[in-house]
Every structure is written in C-alpha cells, then in structure tokens.
Amino acid sequence: MTSRRRVPLALVSVALVSSVLTACGGSSGASAPDTLRIAGPFEIHSLDPTADGEVFTRLQVVETLVTSDIEGALVPGLALKWSSTEDYMEWTFDLVEGAEFHDGTALTPDTVIAALEEVADQEASPLAEVPIESLEADGSSLVVELSKPYFTLPAVLTHYSTAILAPAAYDDEGQVREVIGSGPYEIDRVELPASITTRRSDSWRGEAPEVEKVSFQAVGRAESRALMAVSDQADVVFGLEPAGRQRVDGADGVRMESSLQPRTILLKVNAEHPVLGDVRVRRALSLALDREAMAEAVLREKELAATQLLPPSLEAWKADVEPLEHDQDAALALLADAGWKRSGDGALTKDGRPLELNLLTYPDRAELPALATAMQGALAEIGVDIEVEVSNSSEVPAKHADGSLELALVAKHFALVSDPLIDIAGVFAPGGADFGVMNWEDRSVRTAVDALLGGAPEAEAEGHRETIVRVAQEQLPLIPVAWYRMNAAVSDRVDGFVMDPLETTWRITDLEWAS
C-alpha cells in the first residue's frame, strides 16, 4: 500500500513566511493598530469572482444584488427590494441610489447588466443555470426576463460569483484584470495565491467601519495557523484543527468561536470508473467506514459522523431514510457479490486485478488529509488499497474535467446561496459538478430538482426533497463522511466577531477594537 502526499509549493512558501514571522517575534506591535489581521487556509488562485470570489465577498470588497443575514434570510445588497410576476417569469430589482465603485464610477442598471452578462456565461456560476431571456434597465431598476419560471433567482444572486464589478475591472476580452467593487473596503494589494490587503473605501455609501485596514494571509499548514493565533500574529484565524483548538483554549489573549455549518465532508465518486460504477462497490466503501470513530479521532466530536448526505442544519431536507452504518461483514459480502475475492494476504482481487483506488484531497480544510488517512486504514481492513494524494483543491475540478478522478475527499457547502436548493441542484446537475456528482444521473432526482426550481408548492416540495435524499442514500454517487464545524481563533483586542455559518462575509464592518 502506498500513500503519496504532495504539498503545493505555495503552501510551503506561506508556511516559511509564517515561520520567519515567528522567529522575528511578530506581534500586534509589528502592524499598524488599525489593521485587522486575518489568516486562514483559503488560497486565492484568481481575481475572477466566478473562481475565487468568496474571498472578496468575505472581505467585503465586492457586493451582490441580494445577500443574506446570519440566519440565512434574504436581505438587500445592491438591490433594495425585488419582486416578480405571479408566474416567476419576470423579476424586477430596485437598485440602491448613489452607489459608486471604488474607481468612482457610478453603479447603474447598465453596469449591473454588463457584469451579470459576463457571469451568466461562466459554467462555474449558478447564474449560468438560470433561463435568462434578457436583462433590461428600467429607470433605476434591473428587469430580468426568463424563458421559464425560476422562483429562486434572488437566492442565486447571493452567490459570490454574481458580485458586481466595475466596467474597468474587465479587459477587452472580458477577463477580470482587477477587483473593483463597491463594498466598504477596497483592494490595496493582491499577491496570488497568498495575500490580500484592503483599506476602508472613501466611496462607501454607508457608515464608515471602525476597522480601517485589513490584511488576509493564506496559510496552508494548520499548525502554523494555530501558532499565529496564540502568538499574536493574527487577530482572526480560520480553519483550526482539533490540536490547534486545544492550543488556543489554553492560551491567554485569544478565544475560540465556532459554528456548525451546512457543509458535509464527502467522497466524490467517479460513477463511470470500471470499479466505482458498481453501486455495490460504492455501498461497500461506505459500510467500511467507521464514521463515529473517525469523527471522534480526527474531529474530536463523534456527533459529527454523517448519517446522510445533507447536514441536520438544513431542516427542510431531513428525510426518513436508513442511516449510513459501519458493517465490515456486509461490506465484504457486497464486494464478493460484485466479484471481488480476498486473497491469502487479505487483498481484494477480480480477474487477477487488485482493488486499488486513488483518493485525492487538499489541505485547505485541515481535517481532510487526516480523514483521508483514516479512511485509507479503514478500507485496507477490507482489502481495498487506497493511494492518498494531497494536492491543491483546484485539482478536484481539473481531474473531474479530464476524467482521471477516481475518489476525492471534499468539504461541500450546501448553502453558498441562502436557499440550499441552488447548491443541491448544482451538485446533481446532469453534466456533473466540480464538487458534486461525476458521471452519474438519475431521472427521478432530475425531475424532483426541476419541480423544486419551478416553484412546486410546499405540499409537493416535501416529497421532491425526500426523493433527492433517498436516491442519494441508495445510490451513493457521493459518500457522506462527516458534518462540519468551522472554528476560528479571535484575539481579545477584537470585539463584535460573529461566525457566519453561511460564510457570506466575515462581517468586518461589525467589528470594533476592544477598549
């Protein structure tokens, strides 16, 4: 059995920078007192909102037409209000007055239309799935005409990919060359993939936030992030693993904040793979996983063991399905039924070929490599040889696209927009999804998703949601592993920090310096 763990050069470089800061005794005194220092595992690979826009919305540099509050309810963004015709075929969004981009350009319906037209052509955005017939200006309003009903359009417009950029942000080919938004903070400097600095924008139409400057640093190594949290090298540190949490709990001047998220750690499966295309094999892999033991050992909370695909925080999507279980004997029986036999050394073979699979994951979420190693051990117990590869998260969509992906351990957020239906529809899209299904489709799931997107009444919607959850549980095109808790270390010099479970923004404008 082999285990290959490749760590990206960029992550190593950032870790070295962190080590240098530590050696030099970096502290709050090394940075201006008006600078909020944020660290996390999130690399920035592109300036394009459809690729890495979540970082720029979290830093409140760019804005969407609609956003969400801490409970996930839709609230105004660049649109003060919105309405639709009774058949959901036409939507009107009334824009805020007097808004400007950071370069001084006025935000108008025409600039919004130009930005959304760029986004609508990008497959990575859920806006690409909306049946837009036309975008028109009507006074200070945007009118969206659709070719068929789409009642979740406002929720789609909360997605970070739909952030509105200034015309000057694009080059002649429509590529984003600079992030020019309209939020309370504007870009000072970006160094891909590791750092962003921002400053308070003079063009912001709202009340000036207390925090004047913000620096964000992507730090790949979890232990480096924990060290930054306890040695006063950062004010807010996201993505702490269990050992890091314990370190923070025992330190002075810093506190822990956490929130259960609508996110599931799951195995993405290539359903056209010669081995994984057999549902019996997928079920066997699932049965071989002792989720409670892994959750307790790696996440330090056995209650985070996933029993179905969608997390319990998504109340409307709870379904009465048989929970996922751990049963090695049942796993071996399924594999035997699929033609896989155990040899004398315990390995599984079929037609003289061993059962060997590659499992790709990434370190952006600190728990993933450790869980991948635990899964490697669990599957070895039933004779499945797993090669673990740790690489950039961008390798998951890349290998999905070229068809070389076998298994990928990913952390999938099911509420990147305020209505989880949008993400769920994307996960089960007919053509597959980067962090969703691969080479798998089910007609009943497609029918249910289409009915929900079309505004099915609640009496019918409950049945459609149940269909999606049940089929996913039976067919396992995605194998759930664990629920997800987001952790952050927050310096005592910061007041007002609130963890947003949807990660819409980091709510920097709400923060104050402790007196």
Side-chain angles (χ1 to χ4, degrees), residues 363-377:
D364 300 37
R365 305 282 171 181
E367 299 86 349
L368 295 183
L371 280 172
T373 300
M375 294 169 65
Q376 182 185 50

Side-chain angles (χ1 to χ4, degrees), residues 296-494:
E296 186 166 24
V298 178
L299 307 176
R300 309 294 170 91
E301 291 183 68
K302 71 176 183 179
E303 293 77 15
L304 294 179
T307 57
Q308 61 182 42
L309 179 62
L310 299 172
S313 56
L314 301 179
E315 290 281 346
W317 289 86
K318 287 183 179 178
D320 186 17
V321 294
E322 195 71 27
L324 299 172
E325 296 179 342
H326 172 232
D327 189 333
Q328 284 190 345
D329 291 338
L332 288 168
L334 280 170
L335 290 167
D337 189 52
W340 294 93
K341 308 299 181 184
R342 298 197 82 171
S343 59
D345 62 0
L348 287 166
T349 61
K350 182 178 181 180
D351 300 327
R353 184 178 74 253
L355 206 170
E356 297 175 339
L357 296 167
N358 176 273
L359 192 162
L360 172 68
T361 193
Y362 49 89
D364 300 37
R365 305 282 171 181
E367 299 86 349
L368 295 183
L371 280 172
T373 300
M375 294 169 65
Q376 182 185 50
L379 293 172
E381 293 182 11
I382 63 168
V384 180
D385 188 353
I386 297 291
E387 179 184 43
V388 173
E389 177 182 350
V390 180
S391 187
N392 286 317
S393 57
S394 58
E395 284 295 296
V396 176
K399 290 194 172 187
H400 175 113
D402 68 20
S404 64
L405 186 72
E406 296 182 351
L407 295 168
L409 185 64
V410 304
K412 171 58 189 168
H413 202 301
F414 284 97
L416 289 172
V417 302
S418 59
D419 187 340
L421 170 60
I422 306 303
D423 280 293
I424 291 166
V427 161
F428 293 104
D434 290 346
F435 288 83
V437 299
M438 180 176 180
N439 299 320
W440 182 90
E441 186 175 357
D442 180 89
R443 181 174 296 178
S444 63
V445 169
R446 186 73 255 151
T447 299
V449 168
D450 287 345
L452 290 168
L453 290 174
E458 183 55 33
E460 298 175 15
E462 183 177 355
H464 293 311
R465 290 192 291 265
E466 190 275 337
T467 294
I468 295 168
V469 174
R470 175 179 50 78
V471 175
Q473 193 86 338
E474 293 170 353
Q475 295 293 315
L476 292 175
L478 303 164
I479 301 176
V481 178
W483 314 135
Y484 193 88
R485 184 184 295 280
M486 171 63 86
N487 301 290
V490 183
S491 167
D492 285 351
R493 75 174 194 149
V494 176

Side-chain angles (χ1 to χ4, degrees), residues 73 155 159 177 195 217 221 231 323 327 353 374 387 408-409 429 454 494:
H159 193 263
R177 60 180 183 137
S195 69
Q217 183 178 6
R221 291 172 59 87
S231 60
D327 189 333
R353 184 178 74 253
E387 179 184 43
L409 185 64
V494 176

